[in-house]
Amino acid sequence: MSLVESISHITLTASCIKDFDQCIRFYNFLGFQTISQEDIPKPASAERPEASWEKESYLHLFGDKVKNGITLRIVLPNETAKKSIPHGESSLEPEDASITIVSKNLAGVESALKSNNIHFQKYTYTEAGLLTTNPSYELSRTEICARDPLNNPITFTNKPIPFGKTIYPVSPMLSSKPADPIDENITPLKSKGKRIGVLTSGGDAPGMNAAVRAIVRVAISRGCEAYAIFEGYEGLVQGGKMIRKFGWADVRGYLAIGGTLIGTARCKSFRERSGRLDAACNLVKNGIDALIVCGGDGSLTGADILRKEWPGLIEELIQNGKLTVEEADPYKHLTIVGLVGSIDNDMPSTDVTIGAVTSLHRICEAVDSISSTASSHSRAFVIEVMGRRCGWLALMAAISTGADFVFIPERPPSENWEAEMCDVIKRHRQLGKRRTIVIVAEGAIDRNLNPIKPDYIKELLIKKPLELDTRVTTLGHTQRGGRPCAYDRNLATIQGVEAVNAVLESTPDTPSPMIGVNENKITSEPLLRAVELTHQVAEAISKQDFRRAMELRDPEFADNYEAYRATTLVDSEEMLVPEYQRLRIGIMHIGAPAGGMNQATRAAVRFALNRGHVPIAIYNGFRGILQENIRELSWLDVDDWTSKGGSELGTNRTEPDIDLGMVAYQIQKQRFDALLIIGGFEAYDSVRELRDARDKYPAFCIPIVCIPATISNNVPGTDFSLGSDTSLNAIVDSCDAIKQSASASRRRVFVVEVHGGQCGYLAVLSGLAVGATSTYIPEEGVSLKTLLADVNHLRRRYGDDKKGTSSGRLILRNECVSKTYTTDVIAKIIETEGSGLFDSRTCVLGHIQQGGASSPLDRIRAIRLAVRCIDFIERQAFPSMSPHEKAGPKVYTNSEESASVIGIIGAQVVFSSVVDLLKETDKKNRKSKRAWWIHFKELVDLLSKWGYSEKEAQTEDLYEAIDKDVHI
Ligand code: ADP
């Protein structure tokens, strides 16, 4: 750690003895050492006579060899001097300077600040400006801005921009909130804890337990107390034993369990003011000053009402003698934070609610099973799915399972939908389909708001002209989900952490927030607005304003709806392009198999056919092209590829450089007008190779686009590659089983080796989802020091465990993290150093990680991306083509954009040319440099290392940060 150039002294002025002491402790904590006055020169800027100071202390942070570090002088003026200091000038000298500390280990700084409950904000810059996502620290200039106990700005940065005396401008970015006061009785800088109550309410949703776990553990590790309120609002109204203090171990094992372990209920009395009065009284009596509610729109509406009424409720409780003024005084303000737990995904302020994706998993499993019996008997099935007034589950299930027709409330069918539906199904049957699946959302309506019910649809299918053997299946409560999928565990965990942050950051003036997720980023917006927006959807539907209802859904909803139609309907004349614009599109898979490859191919084939193009399968990648192993694909050929994992086209790692000339010859011979390459890093590399060879081989001057599909999620240009979600779920399933085995053996640590190449994505995200004790990833490496720290931690944890309790623990090790510390070596070290307190085993997950059936998220992403790729190919081949203008000659293109990778960044679909992506590519390690997920690693540590992190890691981290100096 070193300090900025040109500043050798800074004087900080405290206004009282408490601030003075806190300030010294704060800077000691940051590594400044208190020194005696004789050892230092007097600061040049100290104009006031020494006699003015009641107290004075010097602290020094030692810099590198070139510069001599910096001295802080902290002073407490006496009464006379205080008066002479003009208001507002009391904090810093030299003028306007703030303290900027350069450190390579900002992650360490961040976690140390967090564990000491010091409010901070993080900003990351690239050449293009402020980045809103969270890329890895190494890639960009990042600043962590905080304030010391005197409210002076302090900035930690990893890459300072060159500047002279005036130090970095930090103030506009910082909230005006000073660092929390320090509790004198606790180890350095411990904030005075809040009491945070958490309840789950309304319909249960998978992932609620993960949220409770995260809230309890983060609350404890940040010096607060956590209280579980059982049975939702019922527990709040009744009080007594329904409100219980929770410790770290109370939430052990919560991650893998569906529903909610602290119970939920529909509470009538909370709907009445008298019930809320009892709830308020119970909160105050239990000393709870912050409440986190995880539930659906009803529960959050209730929370919002409680927030609004709070001052009145407290007043009434004082008046009716249930609380004394003294009792009520500290609770004038109640902090409420909302988390959306609902399988329906019906809150417009968040893209996904906790539980919706798991529910989708269960629906897809059920429909996949029904599809096989439907095919066997050539039957039709009408399947009703949950979702209340929201069609998200129904639409996503229809997309993921390739249903023939879907009914959702937001987009009612046309007036004569009965005929239209029968017509679509008839055409599908004529093409040779043996099964028919119709999915109906429970809130489905027609344009006149009349409900559309499965039994009515069944009647239509039984009758002429279709005369199908039809069954109705209502999936019912299986859709509540059970064991949460990886996505829900992580979403709930991250949002739980954010909820605690929101509690700690809230002031009486901040509106109660609702934590959501938008474009893959966690958001916090006023609960009031979120509740209002939800009610607007119902209102829009009741007013038949379906356009507005659609707009209020997440940004992908409409996109996915269009993709579904484009890949399901056949022979729709409107979709066809003129004959001369029809293209021969080659589709191939490259690299290792990954979930979503088949679904992307299916969607591309279907949409291409609907446009009049000729989709051609190239089997076995570039080898197949050389061997002319190709075939045109029909609508029916790909029909049952909706759930299949792996690669139906066959795949290998061969890139076109095996024989570029021959590849060019075959492309020309087969008259390919475009190439769609689906695969991992090799696929991306192949697009680049073909593009680079365009000068030599004009056959490559065609649109070439890559859909990233690899479990490792290492391809530049996208946040998610297809297959990564399927793989995460496969790892989570295996790890749950391993953890169960480890727990049954009482004291066993499993070292689980996961794939990912040089990219730690899988290890970190699955580590978060299974509650791993540690994850070892190539981005950080693993050293003896890490292993030692983890062994010590494990000894402590096993030492702390109650007698007779069983707990298995997992360490996830990426396959490439170290040549020396192999999975076996690590397991042996752990066992040996465990000295009999615990043993260890290894598990190499291997190819299991490719998963079986593709996960719903991979299927949905695949379809959305494939449809956009066909659209991209058309636009590249016919640059003048637009929805209104379909004329223009086909061009042979060698523009940069015509060789691109499609990606999902946030919630947006983005095409990036392979030339542009070079900047983002770590060629040596074959991965993207933009590791947006890296900060989740700290969460894995935070959620498994309490006790250790609190007492030791905080200082260790910080001193490590100091060790890894950057010298400027
Ligand atoms: P969800 O939260 O899943 O939408 P509900 O609509 O059943 O489920 O709401 C759960 C609970 O939230 C209700 O039982 C009730 O206690 C409380 N609640 C819902 N709406 C309100 C309201 N308007 N006022 C006060 N409390 C409410």
Side-chain angles (χ1 to χ4, degrees):
M1 195 180 275
S2 65
L3 282 126
V4 289
E5 223 169 336
S6 311
I7 300 287
S8 59
H9 284 93
I10 293 180
T11 300
L12 308 177
T13 313
S15 58
C16 65
I17 181 74
K18 193 168 159 239
D19 286 356
F20 178 85
D21 289 343
Q22 279 187 352
C23 196
I24 291 174
R25 272 207 303 277
F26 177 86
Y27 285 102
N28 281 160
F29 160 75
L30 294 181
F32 283 77
Q33 289 174 19
T34 310
I35 45 173
S36 73
Q37 292 194 24
E38 292 85 66
D39 293 345
I40 43 130
K42 285 280 172 278
S45 58
E47 310 113 5
R48 294 181 190 94
E50 295 305 309
S52 302
W53 314 125
E54 196 179 312
K55 272 186 146 231
E56 184 178 26
S57 185
Y58 287 88
L59 299 124
H60 194 79
L61 181 68
F62 294 95
D64 55 60
K65 291 186 197 85
V66 186
K67 299 175 194 81
N68 292 320
I70 187 165
T71 303
L72 278 186
R73 177 167 166 256
I74 301 174
V75 292
L76 175 67
N78 60 23
E79 286 311 310
T80 340
K82 257 187 208 168
K83 280 183 203 132
S84 70
I85 301 171
H87 182 70
E89 197 216 282
S90 63
S91 62
L92 282 171
E93 293 175 30
E95 267 181 358
D96 299 325
S98 65
I99 300 164
T100 299
I101 297 179
V102 183
S103 168
K104 244 186 191 171
N105 184 10
L106 284 190
V109 170
E110 191 179 338
S111 85
L113 290 173
K114 263 189 203 157
S115 60
N116 280 286
N117 204 12
I118 297 167
H119 176 75
F120 66 89
Q121 299 209 358
K122 193 165 84 181
Y123 299 88
T124 302
Y125 299 80
T126 60
E127 280 161 23
L130 186 63
L131 253 190
T132 44
T133 50
N134 275 309
S136 75
Y137 284 118
E138 315 88 67
L139 302 184
S140 35
R141 182 164 58 87
T142 299
E143 288 164 14
I144 294 177
C145 307
R147 282 183 185 257
D148 72 9
L150 305 181
N151 207 18
N152 300 311
I154 172 159
T155 303
F156 300 87
T157 180
N158 58 346
K159 291 192 174 110
I161 52 166
F163 46 79
K165 186 177 169 184
T166 308
I167 302 176
Y168 217 57
V170 289
S171 7
M173 299 169 184
L174 288 166
S175 78
S176 54
K177 187 174 169 268
D180 283 331
I182 302 160
D183 184 335
E184 323 250 297
N185 303 320
I186 314 175
T187 32
L189 288 167
K190 197 85 175 104
S191 76
K192 195 164 183 297
K194 280 194 167 259
R195 269 193 191 176
I196 303 177
V198 53
L199 63 85
T200 52
S201 166
D204 65 299
M208 279 180 161
N209 290 324
V212 172
R213 171 182 178 269
I215 290 164
V216 168
R217 292 198 166 176
V218 174
I220 294 172
S221 61
R222 298 192 65 183
C224 302
E225 288 179 7
Y227 279 75
I229 299 159
F230 284 73
E231 312 301 335
Y233 289 124
E234 195 61 50
L236 207 52
V237 173
Q238 287 185 21
K241 282 190 176 160
M242 304 280 255
I243 303 179
R244 265 180 259 160
K245 187 172 174 188
F246 257 30
W248 191 266
D250 287 316
V251 288
R252 179 171 294 156
Y254 265 44
L255 272 173
I257 298 172
T260 163
L261 288 161
I262 59 170
T264 179
R266 313 260 181 204
C267 173
K268 261 192 181 168
S269 50
F270 193 77
R271 291 180 181 268
E272 312 296 327
R273 190 180 155 92
S274 58
R276 296 192 288 274
L277 198 65
D278 288 343
C281 188
N282 285 324
L283 282 170
V284 174
K285 294 265 184 204
N286 281 285
I288 295 173
D289 46 10
L291 181 65
I292 300 177
V293 175
C294 180
D297 66 334
S299 308
L300 298 185
T301 307
D304 194 47
I305 292 172
L306 182 67
R307 175 196 64 83
K308 262 190 258 162
E309 289 180 351
W310 185 259
L313 293 172
I314 295 296
E315 199 56 51
E316 198 176 326
L317 286 167
I318 296 172
Q319 272 166 19
N320 66 21
K322 287 202 173 148
L323 291 179
T324 63
V325 176
E326 293 71 40
E327 265 179 325
D329 195 52
Y331 301 98
K332 281 189 192 129
H333 171 72
L334 174 74
T335 306
I336 293 192
V337 178
L339 283 184
V340 205
S342 162
I343 61 162
D344 302 332
N345 201 16
D346 54 353
M347 297 282 289
S349 335
T350 182
D351 291 354
V352 193
T353 57
I354 295 168
V357 177
T358 304
S359 177
L360 184 61
H361 272 253
R362 295 298 98 78
I363 295 170
C364 290
E365 282 157 16
V367 180
D368 287 349
S369 316
I370 288 171
S371 294
S372 30
T373 172
S375 276
S376 311
H377 293 268
S378 191
R379 275 189 185 136
F381 275 84
V382 184
I383 301 168
E384 186 181 79
V385 301
M386 283 182 170
R388 295 199 285 188
R389 281 185 296 252
C390 179
W392 190 87
L393 279 177
L395 177 61
M396 300 308 150
I399 293 174
S400 312
T401 59
D404 297 77
F405 216 85
V406 66
F407 294 95
I408 55 171
E410 297 84 350
R411 192 57 84 89
S414 61
E415 291 289 352
N416 62 341
W417 64 265
E418 287 96 338
E420 192 196 318
M421 178 189 74
C422 291
D423 198 35
V424 169
I425 293 172
K426 193 169 138 211
R427 275 182 285 157
H428 290 180
R429 287 271 165 176
Q430 281 166 348
L431 284 164
K433 237 185 133 171
R434 284 177 55 81
R435 64 188 153 98
T436 299
I437 303 285
V438 177
I439 291 186
V440 193
E442 68 179 330
I445 42 173
D446 67 16
R447 280 175 191 249
N448 301 315
L449 307 182
N450 302 311
I452 296 178
K453 289 290 166 198
D455 285 334
Y456 178 58
I457 297 170
K458 177 184 171 182
E459 278 172 37
L460 296 171
L461 300 183
I462 289 172
K463 280 196 308 203
K464 275 194 172 159
L466 290 168
E467 296 180 291
L468 293 173
D469 179 4
T470 308
R471 307 291 151 102
V472 170
T473 303
T474 302
L475 299 178
H477 285 78
T478 52
Q479 297 166 77
R480 285 264 162 232
R483 222 166 53 84
C485 66
Y487 184 89
D488 275 330
R489 296 181 193 199
N490 288 344
L491 179 71
T493 299
I494 296 160
Q495 290 191 336
V497 174
E498 267 326 293
V500 177
N501 286 341
V503 164
L504 295 176
E505 282 163 17
S506 98
T507 66
D509 307 322
T510 28
S512 298
M514 188 205 85
I515 309 297
V517 57
N518 189 247
E519 308 231 342
N520 197 29
K521 284 189 278 296
I522 300 300
T523 55
S524 166
E525 75 166 279
L527 184 60
L528 179 70
R529 196 180 124 69
V531 168
E532 265 172 24
L533 270 181
T534 310
H535 296 159
Q536 277 181 29
V537 182
E539 204 181 300
I541 292 177
S542 68
K543 287 184 180 157
Q544 292 166 288
D545 185 353
F546 301 113
R547 197 181 51 81
R548 175 76 184 136
M550 204 74 175
E551 271 170 18
L552 286 166
R553 294 287 173 230
D554 72 272
E556 293 173 48
F557 193 87
D559 226 17
N560 284 326
Y561 181 78
E562 293 312 326
Y564 169 72
R565 284 180 62 82
T567 55
T568 309
L569 302 178
V570 269
D571 305 337
S572 170
E573 292 287 322
E574 315 147 29
M575 275 198 241
L576 286 174
V577 293
E579 197 109 10
Y580 74 94
Q581 286 183 341
R582 298 189 182 168
L583 305 167
R584 287 171 62 79
I585 302 172
I587 306 174
M588 68 166 94
H589 297 172
I590 299 187
M597 279 182 156
N598 292 328
Q599 291 71 32
T601 311
R602 177 184 183 273
V605 168
R606 288 280 178 90
F607 185 49
L609 287 169
N610 283 344
R611 299 289 283 166
H613 304 307
V614 183
I616 302 155
I618 301 167
Y619 291 94
N620 215 12
F622 280 99
R623 287 191 191 286
I625 215 170
L626 298 184
Q627 294 155 359
E628 300 189 17
N629 191 358
I630 64 172
R631 183 167 79 86
E632 284 183 25
L633 287 174
S634 73
W635 194 90
L636 195 64
D637 284 336
V638 293
D639 189 51
D640 64 348
W641 291 14
T642 43
S643 60
K644 284 184 174 166
S647 158
E648 289 291 304
L649 299 187
T651 183
N652 56 56
R653 295 187 187 272
T654 310
E655 295 186 16
D657 57 358
I658 43 163
D659 193 343
L660 270 173
M662 221 24 210
V663 172
Y665 167 75
Q666 284 295 349
I667 285 180
Q668 213 161 351
K669 184 175 169 200
Q670 307 299 341
R671 292 178 291 113
F672 283 131
D673 298 307
L675 276 186
L676 173 60
I677 304 180
I678 303 169
F681 202 88
E682 292 86 356
Y684 158 65
D685 241 6
S686 303
V687 177
R688 208 177 35 74
E689 278 170 25
L690 295 175
R691 194 232 156 241
D692 290 350
R694 274 176 172 170
D695 286 347
K696 210 163 164 199
Y697 303 109
F700 300 146
C701 293
I702 54 175
I704 307 172
V705 59
C706 161
I707 300 184
T710 163
I711 67 168
S712 306
N713 204 20
N714 58 350
V715 181
T718 188
D719 289 350
F720 302 103
S721 56
L722 301 183
S724 55
D725 185 65
T726 305
S727 179
L728 271 185
N729 281 295
I731 298 173
V732 166
D733 286 350
S734 306
C735 285
D736 280 356
I738 293 167
K739 205 164 182 179
Q740 183 177 302
S741 153
S743 296
S745 322
R746 302 223 163 257
R747 290 160 173 266
R748 178 162 288 170
V749 180
F750 261 94
V751 183
V752 182
E753 183 179 304
V754 297
H755 275 339
Q758 292 292 342
C759 175
Y761 175 85
L762 281 180
V764 168
L765 273 282
S766 50
L768 196 58
V770 298
T773 298
S774 235
T775 53
Y776 301 149
I777 56 170
E779 285 79 359
E780 285 189 347
V782 56
S783 63
L784 258 186
K785 196 176 163 200
T786 330
L787 292 173
L788 191 64
D790 281 340
V791 166
N792 282 337
H793 168 64
L794 285 166
R795 289 162 72 121
R796 239 177 285 257
R797 302 269 45 88
Y798 279 106
D800 290 349
D801 281 353
K802 272 196 203 138
K803 271 214 166 114
T805 56
S806 52
S807 52
R809 292 188 164 88
L810 300 181
I811 287 182
L812 298 193
R813 175 191 176 274
N814 162 286
E815 57 184 349
C816 295
V817 68
S818 161
K819 283 195 176 122
T820 315
Y821 301 115
T822 60
T823 305
D824 273 343
V825 167
I826 291 176
K828 279 179 189 146
I829 292 177
I830 286 175
E831 179 147 348
T832 312
E833 297 295 321
S835 317
L837 202 53
F838 46 86
D839 66 8
S840 83
R841 292 287 184 278
T842 59
C843 181
V844 179
L845 294 182
H847 290 78
I848 284 179
Q849 295 167 80
Q850 285 171 5
S854 308
S855 74
L857 281 187
D858 275 334
R859 300 185 200 185
I860 296 164
R861 286 173 186 155
I863 292 164
R864 187 174 178 217
L865 295 185
V867 168
R868 294 291 287 271
C869 280
I870 299 297
D871 181 65
F872 170 86
I873 286 170
E874 286 178 357
R875 277 169 207 290
Q876 292 300 321
F878 303 98
S880 63
M881 194 164 160
S882 75
H884 311 293
E885 186 194 358
K886 291 194 170 181
K890 182 164 77 186
V891 295
Y892 278 89
T893 173
N894 68 359
S895 67
E896 273 184 14
E897 324 74 81
S898 64
S900 282
V901 173
I902 190 173
I904 299 176
I905 297 189
Q908 305 300 327
V909 172
V910 178
F911 286 91
S912 319
S913 79
V914 282
V915 177
D916 276 351
L917 285 180
L918 272 180
K919 289 191 259 346
E920 200 188 310
T921 309
D922 175 351
K923 269 192 179 170
K924 182 168 157 255
N925 293 308
R926 298 178 72 74
K927 64 178 180 183
S928 167
K929 285 183 192 164
R930 208 173 54 88
W932 59 269
W933 44 267
I934 194 93
H935 58 291
F936 294 138
K937 167 102 177 43
E938 291 155 34
L939 280 191
V940 178
D941 296 343
L942 181 72
L943 291 167
S944 64
K945 292 201 175 176
W946 176 71
Y948 177 70
S949 69
E950 220 196 3
K951 300 276 183 284
E952 285 152 77
Q954 65 187 26
T955 29
E956 246 178 39
D957 279 348
L958 211 76
Y959 282 99
E960 204 171 296
I962 295 165
D963 285 343
K964 293 182 181 172
D965 277 356
V966 188
H967 303 310
I968 56 168

